[in-house]
Amino acid sequence: MTSFHGPATFAPNAATELQLLPLRFERLGANRFLVANFVGDLLLLNEEELDRTVSLAIAPGDGLYERAFEKLLVTRKKQRSQLQLLALRLRSRMSFLREPTPLHLFVVTLRCEHSCPYCQVSRRSAERDRFDMSEELALRAVNVALSAPTPRIKIEFQGGEPLLNFELVRKIVGAVHERAPARNKAVEFVIASNLALLSDEVLAFCQKNDILLSTSLDGPADLHNRNRPRPGGNSHELAVAGIRRAQKVLGRSRVGALMTTTEASLTRVEEIVDEYLRLDLDGIFLRPLSPYGFAIKTKQFERYDGAEWLAFYERGYFPEFYAALLLKRMLSDRPIGYVDLRSPAGIGLGALVYNYDGKVFASDEGRMLAEMGDRTFELGDLRKDDYRSLVLSDKLVGLIGNTLAQCAPQCSSCAYEPHCGAEPVYHHATQGDAVGIKPLSEFCARQKGVLQLLFEILDSGGEDAAVLRRWASG
Amino acid sequence: MTPLALAGAAIAVSGATPSERRMVLRVRDPRSVAEIDDRDGALIRDEEDLLAARARRFKTAVFLEGVSLPDDADGFEVTVRLGERFDHLGDGDIVGLDPGSLRLRVLYRRASKHNSFLVTERCSHYCLMCSQPPRNVKDGWIIDEIASCIDLLDPATDSVGFTGGEPLLEWRRFIALLAVFRGRLPETAVHVLTNGRAFAAEEVTAAWAALGFQRLTAGIPLYSAVDAVHDYVVQARDAFDDTVLGILRLKDKGQRVEVRVVLHAVTAPRLRETSAWLALNLPFVNHVALMGLENTGFALANQALLWIDPLDYQADLACGVDMLRAAGVNVSIYNLPLCLLDRSVWDFAVQSISDWKNGYLSECDGCAARRRCAGFFSSGRPRLSRGISPIAAADLQRTLSGHGVVVGDAGS
């Protein structure tokens, strides 16, 4: 029998054959480095291992060569497969760019019967004529939305409280059903509502038109009602009743909720999660406050920092939608259409916002800023613009040019960049600059914190890692 | 545990033209067959068969040992006598026979779900654990032999495999054979076991895709996500690079690909990493099979290097399956008995061992899970895990209800 060759026969010559592939790293602590390959696969190394990897002082059998090769950090110079894998994976991850503008927000009214001190959209309480969208503008917005190149669009009704202008919601849905088939568009609808005004009529309409409901639930009654005042002080009672009725009529998966973290929430994450469990909700979105509208005016935004929020977030161990989103990016190359976490940013290319007054914005936060007097992210007006003129406008092209995290200072060298995205509106609002200085950014601190937390759990293996993998596969 | 005899020698052959190097023979039940092809031979087990064969004017008779009737050869142009090892042959089965040397191989068994054609014994790899050690022989005639029996196959055959050696060494002839096969059996699923390196060449992948064969799968072994480990296992430099490129090219052309990872002491220690790598880099393959080792061929020679008790990678296997499943990959466990698997992955274990070399141990007699268990290879010299033990009925029930598994559903 012919003899077999030993492993050494198949080992590369490190000096002449090996080559380093692009990598980025982040120091996690003393002698702990998180190393990321070009598409964000993560590997934990100590300092000596990192040094040996970058100087290619590695060889099969030492355990480090194996880890570096599996994570696409090194290749042999003649090999094609490592580069092909990186190329095709990057192409998958960026393929959301092939289907521009999947999300269309209709601000059908700015009025709301709630008076939340953290309201980020600066809601109004009166003047229907001034703060409701007109039918004429709404129909123009439908045409703009249906002109987006992507075959699937989502239309989300926002406010204020959109149910205060339900008649217009009805008309928009009717117009979309009429016009979408000719353009070969599949359209999904969501109403973002506090559910206080949820009537049988609204529910029947949602059921008939397959409309999802997205609501706000900040936790147990005392916390929720404190965060979300309304006449009668019964916001929680109405939200809970609304969720239950919607679950019954539309189905359990057709209604979701998200919470907004205030200073009062920080110590109560377990109770908040329990409230979601009690209501048989699929998961939770633990959302920090954003620096817009009343949240700034009433100083709610500055009551806690990134670290305090992270400490709160870490304890919220329940299918959490933001974590699920990040995990999908860490564990797969599926292009994630989430418009707030893209590079280039989702402004215009991910979403367009049609404001009650006919102005069109590049993002929801952009219109929140406009209510504060800053019109940086206003792209045009429904009275004169169409999809092309909005998306190809010099203004949007200029804004997007500043949102490539791949080459932005401090992002380009960040290990987490492949799983993150640009946040131009946030950085414009907080630092007066769309790129921003990342070490001063709470957004950046939160992103790094959450991503590290998720990595550490995944890397520890065991049951917790399996649970997180399950979140990502949903 | 002994495997069915699929190769061996005939006791005697008479009447065959000496110029014929090999003949293809389909055995028939003389009492029930409707039409007779020139290549059909009546399978004769008793006098009634003999009378029927004569009445139907069979030119060829195949006698099984023990059948000895006076003047039994009378009236047949060709007679073949086979030992009782070939008693398993039945109506519609096909054998290839060399009348000179009496060597014969069973090419196709109609009643089996595990028909596999060996295309060549030559291979560009020399895997440490090869169950079919390659030989550098001139065996180009095998493709012709397979081609000559395709029209004898039952068109209702559900699936057929092609294996080697490396079937794509003569890729033009082999792909032409697949085209003939598809013309005759368009509904049959075809699984080709290949090292995948040929597909690194665009020309080969294009010809493969041009077959337009919906149910054609390339089963490609990939033993590690580390080039040096894979190349060592297959004993060929640059194999990893070619194979991964080949998989990517096939998927780029929309072809079906199965990745096969054989677990032994060289590959199992990185099973978690290999699974994580597959989940991240090749989640679009159609199937991943994580496979127990068949202890035969080179695996016997390299036993000291390769043997690992499956119990020692049980947790890694469960974790690997979980990672692949979470990534949406269709994953199965092949060749491992249920008693060696973590309960959480029983649902993924498949009865994968070909019927002719599948066996069970005496321990299995009292096992409640035997009916859905892969069992053991009866080929080679089976080496047994310290973890083999019968599963109690109550235990089985608890596991199944715990995981919502329907008995009889082999997963995937």
Side-chain angles (χ1 to χ4, degrees), chain A residues 2 4-5 7 9-11 17 41 65-67 69-70 72 76 79-81 88-89 333 469-470 473, chain B residues 126 225-228 232 235-237 240-242 245 248 270 273 277 280-281 298 302 322-323 326:
Chain A
T2 320
F4 295 90
H5 299 288
T9 312
F10 307 96
E17 285 189 85
D41 297 345
Y65 176 88
E66 284 79 2
R67 283 191 286 162
F69 195 91
E70 282 161 352
L72 310 177
R76 293 189 205 195
Q79 272 171 343
R80 301 149 294 170
S81 58
L88 84 91
R89 292 185 55 193
D333 300 319
R469 289 196 293 268
R470 212 65 74 239
S473 61
Chain B
Y126 206 73
V226 182
D227 59 346
Y232 168 52
Q235 296 278 300
R237 237 175 127 89
F240 176 87
D241 199 43
D242 285 344
L245 267 181
L248 296 183
R270 298 198 78 73
E273 289 83 356
W277 181 87
L280 280 170
N281 291 281
F298 285 161
N302 289 316
D322 188 68
M323 284 193 269

Side-chain angles (χ1 to χ4, degrees), chain A residues 113-114 193-198 215-217 221 224-225 228 230-246 279:
Chain A
E113 28 59 76
H114 274 62
S193 164
N194 59 41
L195 300 184
L197 304 171
L198 186 68
T215 192
S216 293
L217 182 68
H224 179 99
N225 287 333
R228 304 180 58 80
R230 82 182 292 277
N234 59 349
S235 174
H236 182 265
E237 189 186 318
L238 293 174
V240 167
I243 289 168
R244 292 217 156 111
R245 282 164 68 208
L279 285 168

Side-chain angles (χ1 to χ4, degrees), chain B residues 87-132:
Chain B
D87 193 39
H88 61 79
L89 288 175
D91 186 48
D93 292 357
I94 300 172
V95 298
L97 176 64
D98 178 358
S101 69
L102 302 182
R103 302 294 305 168
L104 82 89
R105 285 191 309 133
V106 179
L107 301 175
Y108 168 81
R109 287 180 307 127
R110 187 173 157 194
S112 173
K113 287 179 180 161
H114 301 277
N115 279 298
S116 186
F117 292 99
L118 181 118
V119 176
T120 176
E121 292 192 78
R122 287 166 293 149
C123 194
S124 46
H125 285 176
Y126 206 73
C127 299
L128 295 175
M129 67 295 184
C130 184
S131 61
Q132 178 76 48

Side-chain angles (χ1 to χ4, degrees), chain B residues 14 110 135 193 217 239 266 285:
Chain B
S14 64
R110 187 173 157 194
R135 294 197 306 149
L193 193 53
T217 302
V266 179
V285 298

